[in-house]
C-alpha cells in the first residue's frame, strides 16, 4: 500500500533562518507531488506541484522553492524565512495520469506546522 | 483565472439538524472533489463527481454536481459531532506542467450538542 511521510511535524524558526521540509512517498511510482500551505483557519493554497523528477511548477511567487531530486521525494525550502511563512504545510501525492482531464484523489501527509518568530 | 467560491465560510449547526455547503465556479468544470479536514488533521478525500447532474451518497452525506457542471453541493443530514471539521471542494485545473487541484476556501462546520 502507498504511504506518505512528511517531516518534521512541528518546528519553530526565527525570521531569516533557512527551512527544509521533506516529503517522501512509498508504494507508488511517478506520482504527481504537491506542496500546499494552510494559514490558521484558512483554505489550502497550492505552492508547488511536480509531475516528474526535476519538474517543478510554482504557483505563488514568494521566497520558497521546491525540488524533486528523486521520483518519490519532494522538498520545500527557503533561504530566509519571513513571519508570513508561518502556517501548516501539507505535502500530497496523486496518481500520475498525464494530461487528461481527470485526476485521482490527493493523498495528504500529516503536515508540518511551521511557526516563524 | 478560474476560481472556486465556497459558501458559507462558517456553519454552526445544532446536532441532529441538516446543512448544505456549496461550491461555485465561473467556468465549466471537468470534475470536482470533496475533502474533509478534522481540526488539527490533514484533508481526507471524500468523493469525486464527474458527470453532469451526478448525485452520490455516503451514509448521511449527499454530494451533487450541477447540470451545467459549474457548481456542486454537499448536504449532511442529522448532523453529528463527528461531522465537525472543514469541508473543501477541489477542482481540476490544467497548468503549464500538468494537472493540479485548486481548493475552495472551505466551510468550517461547528456542531452544537
Amino acid at each position: 500500500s502507498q504511504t506518505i511521510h512528511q517531516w518534521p511535524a512541528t518546528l519553530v524558526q526565527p525570521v531569516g533562518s533557512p527551512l527544509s521540509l521533506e516529503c517522501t512517498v512509498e508504494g507508488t511510482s511517478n506520482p504527481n507531488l504537491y506542496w500546499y500551505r494552510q494559514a490558521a483557519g484558512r483554505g489550502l493554497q497550492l505552492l508547488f506541484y511536480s509531475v516528474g523528477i526535476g519538474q517543478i511548477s510554482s504557483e505563488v511567487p514568494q521566497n520558497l522553492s521546491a525540488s524533486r531530486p528523486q521520483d518519490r521525494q519532494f522538498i520545500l525550502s527557503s533561504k530566509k524565512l519571513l513571519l508570513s511563512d508561518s502556517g501548516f504545510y501539507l505535502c500530497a501525492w496523486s496518481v500520475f495520469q498525464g494530461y487528461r482531464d481527470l485526476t485521482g484523489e490527493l493523498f495528504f501527509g500529516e503536515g508540518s506546522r511551521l511557526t516563524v518568530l | 483565472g478560474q476560481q472556486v467560491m465556497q459558501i458559507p465560510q462558517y456553519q454552526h449547526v445544532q446536532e441532529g439538524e441538516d446543512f448544505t455547503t456549496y461550491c461555485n465556479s465561473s467556468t465549466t468544470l471537468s470534475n470536482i472533489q470533496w475533502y474533509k479536514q478534522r481540526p488539527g488533521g490533514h484533508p481526507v478525500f471524500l468523493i469525486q463527481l464527474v458527470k453532469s447532474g451526478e448525485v452520490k451518497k455516503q451514509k448521511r452525506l449527499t454530494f451533487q454536481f450541477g447540470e451545467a457542471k459549474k457548481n456542486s453541493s454537499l448536504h449532511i443530514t442529522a448532523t453529528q459531532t463527528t461531522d465537525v471539521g472543514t469541508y473543501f471542494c477541489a477542482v481540476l485545473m490544467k497548468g503549464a506542467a500538468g494537472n493540479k487541484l485548486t481548493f475552495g476556501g472551505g466551510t468550517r462546520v461547528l456542531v452544537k450538542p
Side-chain angles (χ1 to χ4, degrees), chain B residues 4-110:
Chain B
V4 179
M5 303 302 295
Q6 206 171 337
I7 54 173
Q9 189 175 0
Y10 297 95
Q11 182 80 54
H12 293 242
V13 189
Q14 189 71 44
E15 189 174 13
E17 292 184 343
D18 303 352
F19 78 89
T20 303
T21 175
Y22 301 88
C23 187
N24 300 307
S25 171
S26 58
T27 59
T28 302
L29 305 170
S30 58
N31 64 355
I32 193 163
Q33 298 181 8
W34 285 90
Y35 292 77
K36 176 183 179 181
Q37 183 179 25
R38 294 183 183 275
H42 59 279
V44 175
F45 175 82
L46 294 176
I47 211 156
Q48 177 168 270
L49 304 172
V50 178
K51 300 178 182 177
S52 169
E54 187 172 15
V55 178
K56 288 187 177 180
K57 292 188 176 182
Q58 290 180 351
K59 297 182 180 179
R60 295 178 295 102
L61 277 60
T62 301
F63 304 84
Q64 186 166 4
F65 205 4
E67 293 289 342
K69 299 183 74 173
K70 288 186 176 182
N71 54 71
S72 179
S73 65
L74 161 58
H75 181 78
I76 299 182
T77 59
T79 305
Q80 300 177 359
T81 54
T82 53
D83 296 324
V84 166
T86 303
Y87 294 82
F88 294 98
C89 63
V91 299
L92 182 70
M93 293 178 60
K94 287 185 178 179
N99 296 333
K100 55 182 180 177
L101 277 178
T102 296
F103 284 76
T107 294
R108 179 180 283 185
V109 176
L110 300 174

Side-chain angles (χ1 to χ4, degrees), chain A residues 32 34 36 38 40-44 46 49 51 57 59 88 90 98-106 108-110 113, chain B residues 10 30-31 33 35 37 40-43 45 48 50 88 92 94-105 108:
Chain A
N32 288 343
Y34 309 82
Y36 286 87
Q38 186 175 36
R42 305 291 296 277
L44 296 164
L46 180 61
Y49 71 102
V51 297
S57 287
E59 290 298 300
F88 191 43
L90 290 155
Y99 295 87
R100 295 183 298 168
D101 281 342
L102 292 177
T103 189
E105 65 186 272
L106 287 187
F108 285 87
E110 297 292 326
R113 197 167 300 279
Chain B
Y10 297 95
S30 58
N31 64 355
Q33 298 181 8
Y35 292 77
Q37 183 179 25
H42 59 279
F45 175 82
Q48 177 168 270
V50 178
F88 294 98
L92 182 70
K94 287 185 178 179
N99 296 333
K100 55 182 180 177
L101 277 178
T102 296
F103 284 76
R108 179 180 283 185

Side-chain angles (χ1 to χ4, degrees), chain A residues 39-80:
Chain A
R42 305 291 296 277
L44 296 164
Q45 179 188 33
L46 180 61
L47 302 175
F48 301 95
Y49 71 102
S50 171
V51 297
I53 296 175
Q55 300 181 57
I56 308 293
S57 287
S58 175
E59 290 298 300
V60 183
Q62 53 204 329
N63 68 319
L64 299 173
S65 63
S67 63
R68 185 171 178 172
Q70 300 180 40
D71 180 44
R72 290 169 288 176
Q73 184 184 23
F74 207 21
I75 298 172
L76 182 69
S77 304
S78 175
K79 292 182 179 179
K80 289 185 177 181

